[in-house]
Amino acid sequence: MGNEDLRNLPYMLYADKEGRIYDHPYFRMAGFSGPSPADLKPEDLIPLPEFSKLFFIPDCPPMGLDPSTGELKTVSEIEVDGVMTECFAVAAFLEPGLVRSHLPAVDYGPKSYTLPMWAYTAVGFMDGSYSAAGFRIEYNHKWDPKNYDDRELVPAIEKYRKEHGSSPLVEHLVNCATVNHCFAAKNLFLKRWEAPLPVSQACNASCLGCLSFQPEGSCEASQDRICFRPSTEEIVSLSVNHLNQAPEPIVSFGQGCEGEPLTQYRLIAESIRKIRKRTDKGTINLNTNGSRPERIREIANSGLDSIRISMNSARPEFYNAYHRPKNYAFEDVVASITLSKEMGLYTMINYLVFPGITDQEEEVEALMLLIQKTGVNFIHLKNLDIDPQLYLEKMPESNSPAVGIKEMAALLNKEFPDVELGYFNRPVR
Ligand code: SF4
């Protein structure tokens, strides 16, 4: 990239040890793909949306581009008013619906802790505004943070309790809505769109980036896992109320505040049968790791409408390194996707995207084979929330070149025009 292009890039950001963020007077922002610097062009950047977050990364200096030489420099300190000040890296977390194309340029060497689970993204500053490396894959007003005003939520919860009474599941979801700020839980009380049905405490995988359970010595889990087994009665009454009253209603088993729902497949199948006896409205969805196709068959036979199966990779060795499956194999997950499509479920893959791994040529080829083999309907391009250093350490070695996340999406669109790419579950009835 010529020096002129470099001068069109936003300035690198850095933070002081209190976390105050500054734009560097000289160095320009850089981006990484996996462990390596990757070309960052002005057209790769978008204005940082209002509800995105900014983080500083303690102990880790930023890396920036010298616009006169194009060299990538680690910037450990800067002189401010004659005082040398330590510099720490800054990263962004994009609003839902946006896919990250570049990781932040950070020297993780000095750090000895695991970063909390967010999708850290390259970000810079110029002309009074922040720009981040990414692109929009889907806009959906139902997941736009602007449409979630907690001043409406609290009275709605009170009204919900009066009208429908309370239960352990309702109170669990009150905590999800008010403490974890889960949009699906807020929707239950605002009586609209997609609502959650967490039911499982256990899991048969051990994902590196599990939001509800993290081992000792790692980072904190993003939310507590549900600590009881809801009754069929409370699942059915909550679901029937929502499906009958909410516009474009979806109820979804498999949430971030639980284990793997297939460990409760009988409870789910029985609940769905009873729900469908009382209403044929709306969509009943299952978010799952897809580990047990025979259990998915039983749930599908009970009246399920759609399914979303999570995976970080279509390559078994990368899948195993991230999901660390117990008593099931990658092939079982592929069989679940195939079976779901054969049984007429609207079948989605929740593809956990990481620049430099997901867009490797070998990964793109593997994903295309998986799409051809299974006939999946929809692929969520979800930014993987994880410490980049940890993920890169755990993934198998590969020198398969990365084509770029945006380029990968364009390739999928071209090769599979009937497969939708997006970010959000959708009603299918
Ligand atoms: S499958 Fe879900 S609950 Fe289980 S470890 Fe992975 S993220 Fe956590």
Side-chain angles (χ1 to χ4, degrees):
M1 208 154 73
N3 295 3
E4 209 33 54
D5 294 334
L6 283 175
R7 292 188 194 289
N8 292 331
L9 283 175
Y11 290 93
M12 181 196 85
L13 292 169
Y14 69 93
D16 61 22
K17 59 181 181 306
E18 272 77 41
R20 288 181 296 244
I21 294 175
Y22 309 85
D23 52 321
H24 195 278
Y26 178 69
F27 289 111
R28 302 305 168 119
M29 77 177 280
F32 267 48
S33 169
S36 318
D39 248 7
L40 186 62
K41 301 181 285 302
E43 58 269 28
D44 294 326
L45 303 175
I46 50 173
L48 186 70
E50 184 186 351
F51 291 91
S52 303
K53 299 179 189 306
L54 286 174
F55 297 96
F56 88 103
I57 303 180
D59 304 339
C60 299
M63 304 167 86
L65 289 167
D66 182 328
S68 60
T69 63
E71 272 184 275
L72 185 67
K73 293 274 177 66
T74 298
V75 186
S76 306
E77 56 184 8
I78 183 172
E79 187 180 334
V80 179
D81 305 336
V83 180
M84 292 313 288
T85 306
E86 274 190 291
C87 293
F88 301 108
V90 172
F93 174 77
L94 300 176
E95 262 185 32
L98 296 163
V99 181
R100 159 189 63 179
S101 63
H102 292 68
L103 302 168
V106 180
D107 172 4
Y108 296 106
K111 105 170 156 52
S112 57
Y113 61 90
T114 301
L115 283 166
M117 291 170 290
W118 298 93
Y120 301 93
T121 302
V123 60
F125 190 83
M126 187 180 234
D127 303 334
S129 66
Y130 294 99
S131 298
F135 58 98
R136 181 166 290 286
I137 193 74
E138 182 180 356
Y139 176 76
N140 184 326
H141 71 280
K142 291 181 270 184
W143 297 98
D144 186 333
K146 288 191 199 63
N147 297 326
Y148 289 81
D149 183 340
D150 282 357
R151 289 167 297 185
E152 293 169 17
L153 178 64
V154 176
I157 290 172
E158 288 320 310
K159 187 163 175 282
Y160 189 96
R161 283 186 176 125
K162 280 205 189 75
E163 287 170 0
H164 303 293
S166 187
S167 73
L169 183 55
V170 167
E171 292 313 315
H172 171 85
L173 294 171
V174 168
N175 180 67
C176 291
T178 55
V179 178
N180 301 335
H181 291 293
C182 167
F183 283 4
K186 293 176 194 278
N187 285 335
L188 175 71
F189 302 109
L190 297 167
K191 296 187 174 168
R192 61 186 190 180
W193 310 328
E194 183 170 0
L197 293 174
V199 294
S200 55
Q201 301 154 279
C203 186
N204 58 353
S206 179
C207 304
L208 294 170
C210 179
L211 299 176
S212 64
F213 177 79
Q214 283 294 318
E216 201 62 37
S218 175
C219 58
E220 214 181 312
S222 307
Q223 51 251 357
D224 298 334
R225 200 173 271 187
I226 193 167
C227 58
F228 60 92
R229 181 181 185 275
S231 67
T232 311
E233 292 67 38
E234 61 185 327
I235 294 168
V236 172
S237 72
L238 186 152
S239 303
V240 171
N241 288 332
H242 190 73
L243 293 171
N244 281 340
Q245 294 176 14
E248 300 175 80
I250 304 174
V251 289
S252 279
F253 295 96
Q255 298 295 323
C257 61
E258 64 175 307
E260 169 48 43
L262 292 178
T263 60
Q264 289 292 347
Y265 73 107
R266 289 197 185 89
L267 171 64
I268 293 173
E270 184 195 353
S271 301
I272 295 176
R273 276 191 291 275
K274 289 185 172 168
I275 293 167
R276 284 307 180 212
K277 277 210 183 91
R278 292 174 50 185
T279 179
D280 63 358
K281 289 195 177 138
T283 297
I284 304 178
N285 176 61
L286 171 66
N287 303 322
T288 172
N289 65 14
S291 53
R292 307 292 298 271
E294 77 286 358
R295 295 182 177 189
I296 289 174
R297 181 186 298 281
E298 178 152 347
I299 293 173
N301 281 331
S302 71
L304 188 70
D305 301 299
S306 65
I307 190 167
R308 188 190 75 185
I309 296 176
S310 290
M311 58 171 56
N312 73 314
S313 174
R315 293 176 285 180
E317 66 280 15
F318 283 75
Y319 179 92
N320 295 337
Y322 175 76
H323 294 277
R324 303 185 293 187
K326 303 169 195 163
N327 313 328
Y328 75 91
F330 177 74
E331 289 65 34
D332 296 313
V333 179
V334 175
S336 292
I337 301 170
T338 308
L339 174 72
S340 299
K341 194 69 196 318
E342 284 166 0
M343 295 190 76
L345 301 180
Y346 185 76
T347 303
M348 305 175 276
I349 290 177
N350 194 38
Y351 199 39
L352 308 175
V353 169
F354 190 92
I357 299 285
T358 313
D359 54 336
Q360 287 177 343
E361 288 177 353
E362 286 172 3
E363 175 67 27
V364 178
E365 280 154 28
L367 179 64
M368 289 189 176
L369 283 176
L370 182 69
I371 295 169
Q372 273 153 7
K373 187 174 177 182
T374 61
V376 68
N377 298 108
F378 185 100
I379 298 178
H380 293 246
L381 295 186
K382 279 280 177 33
N383 298 316
L384 176 58
D385 293 331
I386 198 165
D387 178 328
Q389 185 188 33
L390 170 72
Y391 191 61
L392 291 168
E393 268 168 21
K394 298 290 184 184
M395 287 305 106
E397 286 291 318
S398 167
N399 48 29
S400 172
V403 299
I405 297 288
K406 206 172 178 180
E407 292 72 12
M408 172 200 77
L411 212 53
L412 293 176
N413 270 332
K414 182 165 156 281
E415 294 296 320
F416 304 98
D418 301 333
V419 176
E420 285 197 70
L421 300 182
Y423 208 93
F424 308 107
N425 289 342
R426 55 201 44 215
V428 296
R429 285 170 62 128

